[in-house]
Amino acid sequence: PGMIQQAPVFGADSILLDLEDAVALSEKDAARHLVCGFLRTLDFGDMLVTVRVNGADTPFFAEDLRRVVPCRPDAIRLPKCSSPEDVRAAEALLAETEAQNGMEPGTVKIHAMLETARGIAEAGAVATCSPRVTALTLGGQDLTADMGVEKTREGDELFVARSLVALAARAAGIDAFDTIWADVNDNEGLLEETRRVVGLGFTGKAAIHPGQISWIHRAFVP
């Protein structure tokens, strides 16, 4: 709770409230309740507020959407999105929930998280399958695991995936967000990597610690 409460003061452009990988199975209900409470009561200012829900292959997915959508986040992040069908399944439940709560259709957008080889191969189709999709985001940790390769400091193993995501997003006229830099003690490495993804056409990069925000911003300054 303390981390969420302080989030608006660190200067990030966006905040991602996570119900998926960062939450233990035994805490899913409590985390959902906490996130909904903050969405209703905390002033996030002009930050883009996104909630990463649990995947459609979990028993938490439908309830995440039913509870989170009425709280009006800007978007939900759809994890392990591997095809347009994954987007459309989420879209149908979003539309149903918005209608039940008297919300304008299309209020809550979708950020499709591509973190499998199939998802990367389908990047163009995912980007254009629904007007709700306003961003593609690369899940580098899970993608390297799916590929059976190691995530290295140089990041060569993600070059093709990053290029495909950036191209698909730009062609569709939506945002492309890069994966995290996991070593919070290596800000120079973070700066170098962020400059590389800026050069590929990404429009944002995820941070996992407030100390990373200023380094990411430095790389995106024209």
Side-chain angles (χ1 to χ4, degrees), residues 40-56:
R40 289 193 177 97
T41 61
L42 184 62
D43 181 6
F44 289 97
D46 60 358
M47 297 175 73
L48 184 76
V49 181
T50 308
V51 178
R52 181 165 70 168
V53 297
N54 288 282

PDB file of all heavy atoms in Angstrom, residues 40-56:
ATOM      1  N   ARG A  40     -10.067   3.995  -6.853  1.00  0.00           N
ATOM      2  CA  ARG A  40     -11.231   4.825  -6.522  1.00  0.00           C
ATOM      3  C   ARG A  40     -10.866   6.064  -5.708  1.00  0.00           C
ATOM      4  O   ARG A  40     -11.583   7.061  -5.759  1.00  0.00           O
ATOM      5  CB  ARG A  40     -12.251   3.988  -5.742  1.00  0.00           C
ATOM      6  CG  ARG A  40     -12.977   2.940  -6.575  1.00  0.00           C
ATOM      7  CD  ARG A  40     -14.177   2.387  -5.815  1.00  0.00           C
ATOM      8  NE  ARG A  40     -14.932   1.426  -6.598  1.00  0.00           N
ATOM      9  CZ  ARG A  40     -14.793   0.111  -6.525  1.00  0.00           C
ATOM     10  NH1 ARG A  40     -13.916  -0.399  -5.678  1.00  0.00           N
ATOM     11  NH2 ARG A  40     -15.511  -0.695  -7.282  1.00  0.00           N
ATOM     12  N   THR A  41      -9.787   6.010  -4.946  1.00  0.00           N
ATOM     13  CA  THR A  41      -9.552   7.065  -3.964  1.00  0.00           C
ATOM     14  C   THR A  41      -8.287   7.896  -4.174  1.00  0.00           C
ATOM     15  O   THR A  41      -8.227   9.036  -3.727  1.00  0.00           O
ATOM     16  CB  THR A  41      -9.492   6.467  -2.543  1.00  0.00           C
ATOM     17  OG1 THR A  41      -8.406   5.519  -2.470  1.00  0.00           O
ATOM     18  CG2 THR A  41     -10.791   5.757  -2.202  1.00  0.00           C
ATOM     19  N   LEU A  42      -7.265   7.350  -4.845  1.00  0.00           N
ATOM     20  CA  LEU A  42      -5.994   8.058  -4.946  1.00  0.00           C
ATOM     21  C   LEU A  42      -5.961   8.937  -6.192  1.00  0.00           C
ATOM     22  O   LEU A  42      -6.361   8.504  -7.277  1.00  0.00           O
ATOM     23  CB  LEU A  42      -4.831   7.061  -4.985  1.00  0.00           C
ATOM     24  CG  LEU A  42      -3.417   7.668  -4.998  1.00  0.00           C
ATOM     25  CD1 LEU A  42      -3.160   8.469  -3.724  1.00  0.00           C
ATOM     26  CD2 LEU A  42      -2.358   6.571  -5.157  1.00  0.00           C
ATOM     27  N   ASP A  43      -5.486  10.155  -6.031  1.00  0.00           N
ATOM     28  CA  ASP A  43      -5.325  11.063  -7.165  1.00  0.00           C
ATOM     29  C   ASP A  43      -3.982  10.765  -7.834  1.00  0.00           C
ATOM     30  O   ASP A  43      -2.929  11.090  -7.307  1.00  0.00           O
ATOM     31  CB  ASP A  43      -5.370  12.513  -6.678  1.00  0.00           C
ATOM     32  CG  ASP A  43      -5.239  13.508  -7.825  1.00  0.00           C
ATOM     33  OD1 ASP A  43      -5.232  13.075  -8.997  1.00  0.00           O
ATOM     34  OD2 ASP A  43      -5.129  14.714  -7.543  1.00  0.00           O
ATOM     35  N   PHE A  44      -4.023  10.137  -8.998  1.00  0.00           N
ATOM     36  CA  PHE A  44      -2.803   9.814  -9.725  1.00  0.00           C
ATOM     37  C   PHE A  44      -2.353  10.951 -10.631  1.00  0.00           C
ATOM     38  O   PHE A  44      -1.401  10.795 -11.404  1.00  0.00           O
ATOM     39  CB  PHE A  44      -3.016   8.544 -10.563  1.00  0.00           C
ATOM     40  CG  PHE A  44      -3.120   7.286  -9.754  1.00  0.00           C
ATOM     41  CD1 PHE A  44      -4.354   6.753  -9.416  1.00  0.00           C
ATOM     42  CD2 PHE A  44      -1.982   6.626  -9.316  1.00  0.00           C
ATOM     43  CE1 PHE A  44      -4.451   5.585  -8.680  1.00  0.00           C
ATOM     44  CE2 PHE A  44      -2.058   5.457  -8.578  1.00  0.00           C
ATOM     45  CZ  PHE A  44      -3.298   4.933  -8.252  1.00  0.00           C
ATOM     46  N   GLY A  45      -3.027  12.085 -10.567  1.00  0.00           N
ATOM     47  CA  GLY A  45      -2.651  13.225 -11.390  1.00  0.00           C
ATOM     48  C   GLY A  45      -2.831  12.914 -12.860  1.00  0.00           C
ATOM     49  O   GLY A  45      -3.838  12.340 -13.270  1.00  0.00           O
ATOM     50  N   ASP A  46      -1.830  13.283 -13.668  1.00  0.00           N
ATOM     51  CA  ASP A  46      -1.941  13.054 -15.108  1.00  0.00           C
ATOM     52  C   ASP A  46      -1.234  11.768 -15.540  1.00  0.00           C
ATOM     53  O   ASP A  46      -0.972  11.574 -16.735  1.00  0.00           O
ATOM     54  CB  ASP A  46      -1.393  14.252 -15.888  1.00  0.00           C
ATOM     55  CG  ASP A  46       0.081  14.528 -15.575  1.00  0.00           C
ATOM     56  OD1 ASP A  46       0.653  13.816 -14.722  1.00  0.00           O
ATOM     57  OD2 ASP A  46       0.646  15.447 -16.177  1.00  0.00           O
ATOM     58  N   MET A  47      -0.936  10.895 -14.587  1.00  0.00           N
ATOM     59  CA  MET A  47      -0.307   9.623 -14.930  1.00  0.00           C
ATOM     60  C   MET A  47      -1.299   8.707 -15.646  1.00  0.00           C
ATOM     61  O   MET A  47      -2.483   8.677 -15.306  1.00  0.00           O
ATOM     62  CB  MET A  47       0.189   8.896 -13.671  1.00  0.00           C
ATOM     63  CG  MET A  47       1.264   9.613 -12.893  1.00  0.00           C
ATOM     64  SD  MET A  47       1.648   8.722 -11.359  1.00  0.00           S
ATOM     65  CE  MET A  47       2.549   7.326 -12.010  1.00  0.00           C
ATOM     66  N   LEU A  48      -0.803   7.970 -16.626  1.00  0.00           N
ATOM     67  CA  LEU A  48      -1.584   6.907 -17.242  1.00  0.00           C
ATOM     68  C   LEU A  48      -1.600   5.730 -16.273  1.00  0.00           C
ATOM     69  O   LEU A  48      -0.546   5.255 -15.859  1.00  0.00           O
ATOM     70  CB  LEU A  48      -0.938   6.488 -18.565  1.00  0.00           C
ATOM     71  CG  LEU A  48      -1.682   5.443 -19.383  1.00  0.00           C
ATOM     72  CD1 LEU A  48      -2.877   6.066 -20.081  1.00  0.00           C
ATOM     73  CD2 LEU A  48      -0.741   4.825 -20.416  1.00  0.00           C
ATOM     74  N   VAL A  49      -2.781   5.269 -15.893  1.00  0.00           N
ATOM     75  CA  VAL A  49      -2.900   4.199 -14.892  1.00  0.00           C
ATOM     76  C   VAL A  49      -3.376   2.912 -15.572  1.00  0.00           C
ATOM     77  O   VAL A  49      -4.455   2.882 -16.177  1.00  0.00           O
ATOM     78  CB  VAL A  49      -3.874   4.596 -13.761  1.00  0.00           C
ATOM     79  CG1 VAL A  49      -3.955   3.478 -12.725  1.00  0.00           C
ATOM     80  CG2 VAL A  49      -3.423   5.896 -13.103  1.00  0.00           C
ATOM     81  N   THR A  50      -2.547   1.892 -15.478  1.00  0.00           N
ATOM     82  CA  THR A  50      -2.835   0.604 -16.096  1.00  0.00           C
ATOM     83  C   THR A  50      -2.805  -0.480 -15.035  1.00  0.00           C
ATOM     84  O   THR A  50      -2.019  -0.408 -14.087  1.00  0.00           O
ATOM     85  CB  THR A  50      -1.790   0.276 -17.182  1.00  0.00           C
ATOM     86  OG1 THR A  50      -1.685   1.376 -18.083  1.00  0.00           O
ATOM     87  CG2 THR A  50      -2.154  -0.972 -17.947  1.00  0.00           C
ATOM     88  N   VAL A  51      -3.655  -1.482 -15.179  1.00  0.00           N
ATOM     89  CA  VAL A  51      -3.666  -2.629 -14.263  1.00  0.00           C
ATOM     90  C   VAL A  51      -3.325  -3.881 -15.058  1.00  0.00           C
ATOM     91  O   VAL A  51      -3.991  -4.182 -16.054  1.00  0.00           O
ATOM     92  CB  VAL A  51      -5.042  -2.800 -13.584  1.00  0.00           C
ATOM     93  CG1 VAL A  51      -5.023  -4.039 -12.678  1.00  0.00           C
ATOM     94  CG2 VAL A  51      -5.399  -1.561 -12.775  1.00  0.00           C
ATOM     95  N   ARG A  52      -2.273  -4.577 -14.638  1.00  0.00           N
ATOM     96  CA  ARG A  52      -1.983  -5.863 -15.268  1.00  0.00           C
ATOM     97  C   ARG A  52      -2.805  -6.934 -14.563  1.00  0.00           C
ATOM     98  O   ARG A  52      -2.593  -7.238 -13.399  1.00  0.00           O
ATOM     99  CB  ARG A  52      -0.496  -6.214 -15.190  1.00  0.00           C
ATOM    100  CG  ARG A  52      -0.203  -7.567 -15.878  1.00  0.00           C
ATOM    101  CD  ARG A  52       1.258  -7.796 -16.163  1.00  0.00           C
ATOM    102  NE  ARG A  52       2.038  -8.010 -14.963  1.00  0.00           N
ATOM    103  CZ  ARG A  52       3.305  -8.460 -14.965  1.00  0.00           C
ATOM    104  NH1 ARG A  52       3.909  -8.732 -16.120  1.00  0.00           N
ATOM    105  NH2 ARG A  52       3.963  -8.616 -13.841  1.00  0.00           N
ATOM    106  N   VAL A  53      -3.762  -7.467 -15.306  1.00  0.00           N
ATOM    107  CA  VAL A  53      -4.641  -8.506 -14.760  1.00  0.00           C
ATOM    108  C   VAL A  53      -3.968  -9.867 -14.919  1.00  0.00           C
ATOM    109  O   VAL A  53      -2.970 -10.008 -15.624  1.00  0.00           O
ATOM    110  CB  VAL A  53      -6.014  -8.493 -15.458  1.00  0.00           C
ATOM    111  CG1 VAL A  53      -6.728  -7.181 -15.198  1.00  0.00           C
ATOM    112  CG2 VAL A  53      -5.876  -8.759 -16.951  1.00  0.00           C
ATOM    113  N   ASN A  54      -4.531 -10.858 -14.278  1.00  0.00           N
ATOM    114  CA  ASN A  54      -4.056 -12.217 -14.466  1.00  0.00           C
ATOM    115  C   ASN A  54      -4.499 -12.728 -15.841  1.00  0.00           C
ATOM    116  O   ASN A  54      -5.485 -12.249 -16.412  1.00  0.00           O
ATOM    117  CB  ASN A  54      -4.594 -13.117 -13.357  1.00  0.00           C
ATOM    118  CG  ASN A  54      -3.932 -12.832 -12.026  1.00  0.00           C
ATOM    119  OD1 ASN A  54      -2.810 -13.253 -11.757  1.00  0.00           O
ATOM    120  ND2 ASN A  54      -4.620 -12.065 -11.175  1.00  0.00           N
ATOM    121  N   GLY A  55      -3.772 -13.678 -16.369  1.00  0.00           N
ATOM    122  CA  GLY A  55      -4.014 -14.169 -17.707  1.00  0.00           C
ATOM    123  C   GLY A  55      -5.348 -14.877 -17.861  1.00  0.00           C
ATOM    124  O   GLY A  55      -5.935 -15.371 -16.891  1.00  0.00           O
ATOM    125  N   ALA A  56      -5.808 -14.955 -19.102  1.00  0.00           N
ATOM    126  CA  ALA A  56      -7.100 -15.592 -19.392  1.00  0.00           C
ATOM    127  C   ALA A  56      -7.089 -17.082 -19.088  1.00  0.00           C
ATOM    128  O   ALA A  56      -8.149 -17.696 -18.978  1.00  0.00           O
ATOM    129  CB  ALA A  56      -7.466 -15.363 -20.853  1.00  0.00           C
TER     130      ALA A  56
END
